[in-house]
């Protein structure tokens, strides 16, 4: 094969690679914007005023379970990660400016199917946390998921931790401790 015969396919490949790279860069920003919009929509349901946008605030406090903090006009959505029975559980907790829990959603977990996995889907469990202020305890106002006490306590710990962030409660005070 002659060198001339190789030039056209090589140029075609280079052009195709450049087009794909450009499309990837353009679509990457669209995907990021779409992800941010979806995130804001979910978080909007977690505060009473249903805000459309949030500002991420840096967090450098001592509570190692708090991963990210998002601020809106009437409150916060706190991303908390806590140790469950099987592995980490990631939650978003909506907390109003006065420290009342206004929403809880489990974003990620690996808990046991049929037991701890209910922390994500059993709304009667999650609704118990609404209007609490960092003082929730399994067995003292919070009914555990049947067969999933460790998971229930982990979710409770995470919700209390988020409320403590907003109220300024001392995380060593017991508000975010294991409870057993």
């Amino acid at each position: 094969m002659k060198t001339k015969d190789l030039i056209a396919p090589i140029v075609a490949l280079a052009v195709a690679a450049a087009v794909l790279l450009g499309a990837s860069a353009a679509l990457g920003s669209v995907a990021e914007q779409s992800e941010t919009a979806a995130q804001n929509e979910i978080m909007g349901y977690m505060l009473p005023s249903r805000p459309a946008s949030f500002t991420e605030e840096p967090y450098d406090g001592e509570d190692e379970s708090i991963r990210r903090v998002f601020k809106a006009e009437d409150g916060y959505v706190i991303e908390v990660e806590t140790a469950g029975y099987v592995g980490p559980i990631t939650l978003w907790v909506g907390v109003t400016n006065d420290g009342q829990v206004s929403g809880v959603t489990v974003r990620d977990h690996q808990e046991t199917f049929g037991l701890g996995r209910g922390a994500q889907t059993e709304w009667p469990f999650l609704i118990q946390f609404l209007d609490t202020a960092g003082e929730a305890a399994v067995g003292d106002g919070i009914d555990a998921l049947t067969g999933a006490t460790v998971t229930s306590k982990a979710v409770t710990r995470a919700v209390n931790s988020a409320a403590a962030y907003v109220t300024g409660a001392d995380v060593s005070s017991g508000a975010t401790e294991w409870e057993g």
Side-chain angles (χ1 to χ4, degrees):
M1 194 171 221
K2 295 182 182 179
T3 305
K4 279 184 167 180
D5 294 338
L6 291 175
I7 292 176
I10 290 173
V11 169
L13 282 172
V15 168
V19 168
L20 286 175
L21 186 61
S24 174
L27 291 177
S29 66
V30 169
E32 185 177 319
Q33 290 172 352
S34 179
E35 175 65 26
T36 300
Q39 176 178 301
N40 283 341
E41 183 176 358
I42 292 167
M43 288 191 297
Y45 286 105
M46 301 185 75
L47 291 171
S49 69
R50 305 243 347 236
S53 65
F54 292 81
T55 303
E56 187 168 358
E57 294 188 343
Y59 178 73
D60 58 2
E62 61 187 71
D63 188 338
E64 294 178 5
S65 66
I66 294 177
R67 298 291 180 244
R68 295 166 53 183
V69 174
F70 300 93
K71 174 76 174 122
E73 188 173 315
D74 65 337
Y76 297 82
V77 173
I78 315 290
E79 182 178 279
V80 187
E81 184 178 282
T82 188
Y85 181 72
V86 175
I89 302 171
T90 304
L91 297 97
W92 280 355
V93 182
V95 183
T96 61
N97 286 331
D98 63 356
Q100 296 296 304
V101 175
S102 58
V104 179
T105 186
V106 176
R107 300 288 294 162
D108 190 33
H109 68 90
Q110 290 78 40
E111 298 302 277
T112 309
F113 184 77
L115 297 171
R117 191 157 292 189
Q120 185 172 28
T121 58
E122 292 189 26
W123 66 267
F125 171 69
L126 293 173
I127 205 168
Q128 298 177 93
F129 297 101
L130 299 181
D131 296 324
T132 61
E135 78 285 350
V138 172
D140 185 21
I142 301 295
D143 294 327
L145 291 163
T146 303
T149 304
V150 172
T151 301
S152 300
K153 287 183 177 184
V155 170
T156 302
R157 212 172 39 254
V159 171
N160 288 345
S161 188
Y165 169 80
V166 175
T167 62
D170 180 4
V171 293
S172 66
S173 70
T176 60
E177 289 180 9
W178 174 249
E179 303 169 17

